[in-house]
């Protein structure tokens, strides 16, 4: 029987080099994947916040126009943007850090704003003094 020849030292070194290089490539790929995943999460978070703030800005713009010009189309646009803001809030923002502690308060404020704007719309044919008082309540609730 022939004895098995031990692998040469050079062969072992080359194989070990390939294994180490392969391991380093896998480690770098894993780190890059985790960084990209974390970056994607941050971008989605910022995008959700931006969408919510844009909806709020549009909502307030139509609120202002409604109070200035008393047009039904401005109230309807305000209502549409309020729906959009709530949708973004409940889909993207409600479980974010920093929001969880104030979630009930934010939901209550949005419901109060919706109620006051709806009430304002129902009474827009009333005297101006009554509307000014309600307008201040709506603006305070919207802050």
């Amino acid at each position: 029987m022939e004895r098995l020849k031990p692998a040469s030292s050079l062969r072992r070194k080359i194989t070990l080099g390939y294994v180490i290089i392969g391991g380093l490539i896998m480690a770098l790929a894993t780190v890059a994947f985790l960084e990209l995943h974390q970056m994607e999460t941050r971008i989605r978070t910022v995008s959700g916040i931006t969408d919510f703030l844009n909806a709020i800005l549009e909502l307030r713009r139509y609120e202002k126009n409604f109070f200035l010009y008393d047009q039904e189309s401005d109230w309807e646009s305000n209502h549409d943007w309020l729906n959009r803001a709530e949708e973004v809030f409940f889909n993207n923002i409600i479980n974010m850090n920093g929001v969880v502690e104030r979630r009930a308060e934010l939901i209550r404020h949005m419901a109060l704003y919706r109620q006051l704007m709806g009430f304002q719309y129902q009474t827009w044919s009333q005297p101006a003094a009554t509307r000014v008082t309600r307008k201040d309540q709506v603006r305070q609730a919207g802050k």
Side-chain angles (χ1 to χ4, degrees), residues 14-81:
I14 291 172
T15 305
L16 182 62
Y18 279 125
V19 168
I20 290 173
I21 289 172
L24 287 173
I25 290 173
M26 292 300 291
L28 287 173
T30 302
V31 168
F33 174 78
L34 293 174
E35 286 292 325
L36 287 174
H37 179 68
Q38 186 179 22
M39 195 179 313
E40 180 185 10
T41 303
R42 287 181 185 168
I43 289 170
R44 284 187 185 174
T45 300
V46 169
S47 175
I49 292 169
T50 301
D51 291 345
F52 181 69
L53 292 177
N54 286 339
I56 295 298
L57 286 173
E58 289 296 319
L59 164 87
R60 297 303 298 255
R61 181 170 72 99
Y62 285 109
E63 169 194 314
K64 176 190 65 101
N65 288 346
F66 175 72
F67 288 135
L68 287 175
Y69 306 116
D70 284 333
Q71 293 182 356
E72 184 176 353
S73 64
D74 290 328
W75 183 87
E76 290 170 354
S77 295
N78 174 276
H79 185 74
D80 292 341
W81 281 105

Side-chain angles (χ1 to χ4, degrees), residues 61 64 83 95 99 107 116-117 126 136:
R61 181 170 72 99
K64 176 190 65 101
N83 289 337
N95 292 320
V99 175
I107 292 171
L116 289 171
M117 267 313 277
Q126 290 186 354
D136 292 338

Side-chain angles (χ1 to χ4, degrees), residues 109-140:
H109 278 290
M110 285 196 299
L112 176 64
Y113 181 83
R114 177 180 292 283
Q115 178 186 8
L116 289 171
M117 267 313 277
F119 190 68
Q120 183 70 23
Y121 177 70
Q122 293 168 359
T123 61
W124 68 317
S125 60
Q126 290 186 354
T130 305
R131 284 187 292 158
V132 167
T133 303
R134 294 204 179 108
K135 177 172 44 173
D136 292 338
Q137 290 174 340
V138 168
R139 289 204 169 148
Q140 193 62 31

